[in-house]
Amino acid sequence: MKTHTAPFYMALQPNLALRQIIATLLLLATLSGHASNKPPAKAHKAVSHKAAAHKASTRGPVYGKTKEATALADELAQQYKLPQTWVREQISKAQHLKGVPKMVLPPTVPTAKNWRAYRERFIESRRIDAGTQFWQTYESALTRAEQTYGVPAEMIVGIIGVETFYGQNMGNYRVLDALTTLTLNFPAAHPRAAERQAFFKSELGHFLAQAHSQGNASATGSFAGAMGWPQFMPSSVAKFAVDFDGDGRIDLRNSPVDAIGSVANYFKAFGWQTGMPTHYPVGFDEARLDKPTLLAPDILPSFSVSNFTAKGAVLDEQAQKHAGPLALVELFNGDEPPSYVAGTENFYVVTRYNWSSYYALAVIELGQAIKVNRALSSIQSNAR
């Protein structure tokens, strides 16, 4: 729907028109095809927000000066060049969070993936309204981030909206407790226990290095140790976080401006290409379709436009002009037929924030919905 039709609708019923136009645009986006194929597995953070209602009653005793805690402290102190006595003190004060190890285990009964249900959790009016307010409040920082890193404001707004509902859900677990628990008590039943335990040990080391530098080890975050408005893991804080508000320190929990710059820097570091779409609609020519080959590379863009279409994918005029590689991304809809999009290299960049194309598409569509809402709100204001 063209925006030049908006004043006519708004002259009749402004609030209703706004919702109807956004709903229509989002419905069209859904029908054009959406895709993904892997369940969530975090890149910058360990796992998604689940079981947020776990209470402090899951807390056990402090680790104290046990042999295991002392050995861990000495190893991290040496590896991260930290004072041994200080690290021993921090680890000894960390509390065992009894419920956390269970929260990182895969579900015992896998549920069918459903893009439409997943989408409804994030593309909804309360989050769109909150995102519109966030954009208005931090418009200058978002504009500066776009100019500095080449990442569109709607992508940054989409990330922060999906991650923490614009700062409303940043987590209340002490990061020191969570990461120590997942290092010393990682569940052996996990199919990749050794790998994941090593990951959390590394994150604990990064966190201790940052806590020592800042003089504060009491930071809170998710049960997996992700922190602040953008839910960065400590290693991502070390690599990608920036002091975007210019106050001489990086604070992702109390400075939304630092969060804005850090998300943009993250995208840029993973190869975001300014001006490139994230995805295109895709259809199929069943007579030529070689879907197994198209799906084989997963979400990694691997096909030129000519190879993509030669294997039975049908693209619109804009997509046919795309210069880079494409991926056929598949998104399951429960018992209904899957949806598909042609993902670009920028779509793949979004999945580096969270290794799930369901997540990536939710971020993209939330940002787009907020951009539309913001534009229509501006038209409404000007029409009064």
Side-chain angles (χ1 to χ4, degrees), residues 48-358:
S48 62
H49 297 293
K50 60 182 178 180
H54 273 249
K55 306 296 184 182
S57 60
T58 63
R59 292 181 178 275
V62 297
Y63 281 96
K65 297 180 180 180
T66 61
K67 179 181 177 180
E68 293 78 12
T70 301
L72 172 63
D74 291 350
E75 178 184 351
L76 294 176
Q78 181 178 9
Q79 183 176 355
Y80 290 88
K81 298 179 173 56
L82 297 169
Q84 183 184 64
T85 302
W86 182 85
V87 177
R88 283 186 175 187
E89 180 184 3
Q90 304 312 310
I91 297 296
S92 72
K93 293 187 295 186
Q95 279 190 293
H96 176 206
L97 303 180
K98 295 180 180 179
V100 163
K102 297 178 182 179
M103 295 164 71
V104 299
L105 286 171
T108 54
V109 180
T111 56
K113 288 176 279 187
N114 190 322
W115 159 241
R116 295 189 180 100
Y118 185 90
R119 183 183 186 278
E120 287 177 0
R121 292 169 50 194
F122 301 104
I123 320 302
E124 46 91 22
S125 61
R126 288 177 59 248
R127 205 174 300 247
I128 292 171
D129 290 342
T132 303
Q133 182 61 53
F134 177 83
W135 195 328
Q136 180 178 339
T137 302
Y138 298 103
E139 181 177 4
S140 61
L142 288 162
T143 299
R144 183 160 55 91
E146 188 165 346
Q147 294 169 345
T148 303
Y149 299 104
V151 178
E154 61 265 27
M155 294 303 306
I156 303 169
V157 173
I159 285 283
I160 296 174
V162 169
E163 288 292 338
T164 61
F165 207 135
Y166 304 103
Q168 295 182 44
N169 303 321
M170 290 191 282
N172 294 310
Y173 293 86
R174 276 213 321 161
V175 174
L176 176 65
D177 297 340
L179 293 178
T180 302
T181 297
L182 290 171
T183 300
L184 291 176
N185 295 97
F186 195 86
H190 194 285
R192 295 186 294 142
E195 176 188 346
R196 300 309 291 163
Q197 184 178 30
F199 168 80
F200 286 111
K201 181 191 291 187
S202 173
E203 294 299 331
L204 177 58
H206 281 290
F207 174 75
L208 287 167
Q210 291 157 22
H212 184 261
S213 173
Q214 298 165 2
N216 179 16
S218 63
T220 56
S222 76
F223 71 87
M227 298 177 287
W229 288 69
Q231 291 290 277
F232 272 18
M233 289 299 285
S235 61
S236 288
V237 173
K239 295 174 186 175
F240 308 112
V242 296
D243 173 21
F244 205 56
D245 63 10
D247 68 351
R249 60 193 293 265
I250 295 170
D251 187 350
L252 299 183
R253 187 172 185 89
N254 299 302
S255 174
V257 175
D258 281 358
I260 287 167
S262 298
V263 170
N265 186 46
Y266 189 101
F267 273 41
K268 182 68 173 179
F270 278 89
W272 181 270
Q273 299 179 51
T274 305
M276 176 184 287
T278 54
H279 62 286
Y280 301 102
V282 63
F284 302 113
D285 179 351
E286 297 293 341
R288 297 184 296 115
L289 181 59
D290 183 1
K291 191 180 289 184
T293 299
L294 288 171
L295 291 173
D298 198 29
I299 55 177
L300 179 66
S302 305
F303 301 98
S304 66
V305 169
S306 59
N307 286 337
F308 200 63
T309 55
K311 291 176 173 56
V314 178
L315 300 173
D316 63 18
E317 184 176 354
Q318 181 187 10
Q320 290 176 28
K321 297 176 182 178
H322 184 75
L326 297 171
L328 180 62
V329 189
E330 183 177 54
L331 182 69
F332 294 103
N333 290 308
D335 295 331
E336 299 298 318
S339 300
Y340 299 89
V341 295
T344 70
E345 290 167 297
N346 274 356
F347 187 93
Y348 188 75
V349 169
V350 184
T351 67
R352 299 310 85 194
Y353 206 94
N354 174 319
W355 295 356
S356 161
S357 38
Y358 294 76

